[in-house]
Amino acid sequence: MHTFEVVILGASGGPDAGATQCFLVRPAGWQGLESVCVDGGAGTSQIARMIASGQCKRQVESFYANDYESVEHFLDKDAYVDAGLPLSLCEVLAPARSTAQRAFRVYQAIRSYYVTHAHLDHIAAMVLDTPLIFGTEQPCSKTICGLPFTTQAIQQNIFNDAVWPNLLQGGGGLLRLDTLRSGTPTTCQAFEKVEVTPFPVNHGMGASERHEVYSTVYLFRDKTTGNCILICGDVEPDGDKEPLLAQVWSHIAANVPLDKLKAIIIECSSTMATKELYGHLGPRNLVEELTHLQGLYGPHALGHMHVIITHVKSICSYRDPRLVILEEVRKEASRAGLHGIIFSVAVRGYTFHL
């Protein structure tokens, strides 16, 4: 029995304008239009493409060794993944006449964006889509949620009339900011039975003033079943910095029974051949973090849990870096004794049932 549906609107770590990280999250089988998003790097144009392509697409754009790859190359055989939007959502959209109308209806029903940090690849489409709040048949409200470093940056640097119109003050209250508290669960605006808890993580150093940059991971918990998924923004190993990621693992191990932790959606931006990660994880880093989490739960504990890799950066190479990273992660996990984990890549245009 699945608890969550995670629609991959965008999963690229760039440079891939319009297809960067954005996950649409709903309870499994939800019969309404409502949803929330984690990040906003993709938006209505990708929703429209998913509606137009329907449920039958099994080929993934690659443009590396092959222009298209079979979706099975990116997925574990035990992953339950469908092409396109969830069937329950498509059924609700059926009365709309055009693909654009259906896409805009999906957008209207997004209640909240849980933003991990204010880098453009995580907010660009969310910002560009904001005129649709006012330009559809029925104006809709949106709440942008985040930890203080995220909401402050969005308010000061994006909706400031210079970069983008200040719709936070001039939008009649239809676009709002909600500053969250680290480690404090809040009830999801769209789904009363789901609570969301944010945690800060390290994301490298700034290039100009050499200040620390932070991102966020969000723990989604179904109050009825206790089932959880963890969705991560950009993240780097703690190293000699404050042990923020270690604190996340400790919280999860102490508060989420292992059989309730259904999936971790986490970045792995570059292959093992990459020397500079610039505030991200590589395959060896990811496996080290999962090994640490397993140690908190106990030996051989993480089997049958989904780990979905996201935020892979496009590079100039022959092979698709997503396939390279997936292969490297699986090999490193085997060497580390992490057996049974269901490793897949977040593929744009597909829905994971978790």
Side-chain angles (χ1 to χ4, degrees), residues 4-10 21-27 30 32-40 42-44 46-47 50 84-86 89 93 103 105-114 191 220 229 231 265 350-354:
F4 296 98
E5 298 168 345
V6 180
V7 183
I8 312 300
L9 297 185
Q21 181 158 307
C22 181
F23 309 128
L24 190 148
V25 181
R26 295 157 44 91
W30 183 256
L33 281 171
E34 296 83 5
S35 64
V36 299
C37 283
V38 175
D39 284 332
T44 53
Q46 177 57 23
I47 294 170
M50 293 181 71
L85 296 172
L89 179 55
L93 289 172
R105 288 188 67 195
V106 174
Y107 173 77
Q108 281 184 304
I110 297 171
R111 296 288 181 255
S112 304
Y113 286 89
Y114 290 92
F191 311 111
F220 285 75
I229 57 174
I231 303 182
I265 301 176
Y350 288 78
T351 297
F352 282 78
H353 302 270
L354 304 167

Side-chain angles (χ1 to χ4, degrees), residues 108-253:
Q108 281 184 304
I110 297 171
R111 296 288 181 255
S112 304
Y113 286 89
Y114 290 92
V115 180
T116 62
H117 62 302
H119 283 172
L120 284 176
D121 55 326
H122 294 258
I123 67 169
M126 177 190 76
V127 174
L128 291 172
D129 279 346
T130 51
L132 290 172
I133 293 175
F134 315 95
T136 48
E137 294 178 1
Q138 295 180 342
C140 54
S141 62
K142 308 268 183 249
T143 303
I144 300 173
C145 307
L147 291 173
F149 56 82
T150 298
T151 55
Q152 290 171 11
I154 290 173
Q155 185 166 33
Q156 294 171 8
N157 302 322
I158 304 297
F159 295 103
N160 59 6
D161 287 330
V163 173
W164 198 251
N166 188 351
L167 300 178
L168 295 170
Q169 293 184 359
L174 294 179
L175 183 65
R176 302 182 295 269
L177 283 179
D178 184 9
T179 299
L180 307 176
R181 295 178 60 187
S182 173
T184 300
T186 59
T187 298
C188 182
Q189 184 179 352
F191 311 111
E192 290 186 356
K193 73 171 188 174
V194 176
E195 67 179 19
V196 186
T197 308
F199 300 92
V201 289
N202 293 303
H203 181 29
M205 299 290 293
S208 54
E209 300 178 4
R210 301 301 296 167
H211 62 283
E212 292 189 10
V213 179
Y214 298 99
S215 181
T216 311
V217 302
Y218 288 101
L219 182 66
F220 285 75
R221 176 179 175 273
D222 183 281
K223 297 178 185 178
T224 302
T225 64
N227 290 339
C228 298
I229 57 174
L230 185 74
I231 303 182
C232 304
D234 297 355
V235 58
E236 68 173 354
D238 291 325
D240 57 0
K241 298 179 180 179
E242 185 178 359
L244 296 178
L245 188 52
Q247 292 171 16
V248 173
W249 303 139
S250 295
H251 176 93
I252 289 174

Side-chain angles (χ1 to χ4, degrees), residues 298-330:
H300 313 297
L302 298 185
H304 307 296
M305 184 186 71
H306 291 266
V307 173
I308 301 170
I309 296 166
T310 184
H311 206 269
V312 175
K313 293 182 177 294
S314 299
I315 58 174
C316 183
S317 67
Y318 178 71
R319 289 191 67 200
D320 190 317
R322 294 173 296 180
L323 297 178
V324 174
I325 287 174
L326 182 59
E327 179 181 295
E328 291 178 345
V329 167
R330 286 171 172 169

Side-chain angles (χ1 to χ4, degrees), residues 247-324:
Q247 292 171 16
V248 173
W249 303 139
S250 295
H251 176 93
I252 289 174
N255 293 278
V256 181
L258 183 60
D259 64 333
K260 301 296 185 181
L261 183 59
K262 298 303 179 181
I264 297 175
I265 301 176
I266 188 167
E267 71 130 286
C268 190
S269 291
S270 302
T271 69
M272 291 176 62
T274 305
K275 295 181 180 179
E276 297 291 341
L277 292 175
Y278 300 106
H280 295 283
L281 296 177
R284 187 168 289 122
N285 305 125
L286 174 55
V287 171
E288 288 171 352
E289 296 299 335
L290 293 174
T291 302
H292 176 61
L293 178 60
Q294 177 171 275
L296 295 174
Y297 274 117
H300 313 297
L302 298 185
H304 307 296
M305 184 186 71
H306 291 266
V307 173
I308 301 170
I309 296 166
T310 184
H311 206 269
V312 175
K313 293 182 177 294
S314 299
I315 58 174
C316 183
S317 67
Y318 178 71
R319 289 191 67 200
D320 190 317
R322 294 173 296 180
L323 297 178
V324 174

Side-chain angles (χ1 to χ4, degrees), residues 67-93:
D67 284 342
Y68 293 88
E69 296 277 357
S70 170
V71 69
E72 279 73 22
H73 296 165
F74 299 85
L75 306 174
D76 187 281
K77 61 180 177 57
D78 291 325
Y80 183 15
V81 182
D82 286 332
L85 296 172
L87 183 60
S88 59
L89 179 55
C90 293
E91 290 173 348
V92 181
L93 289 172

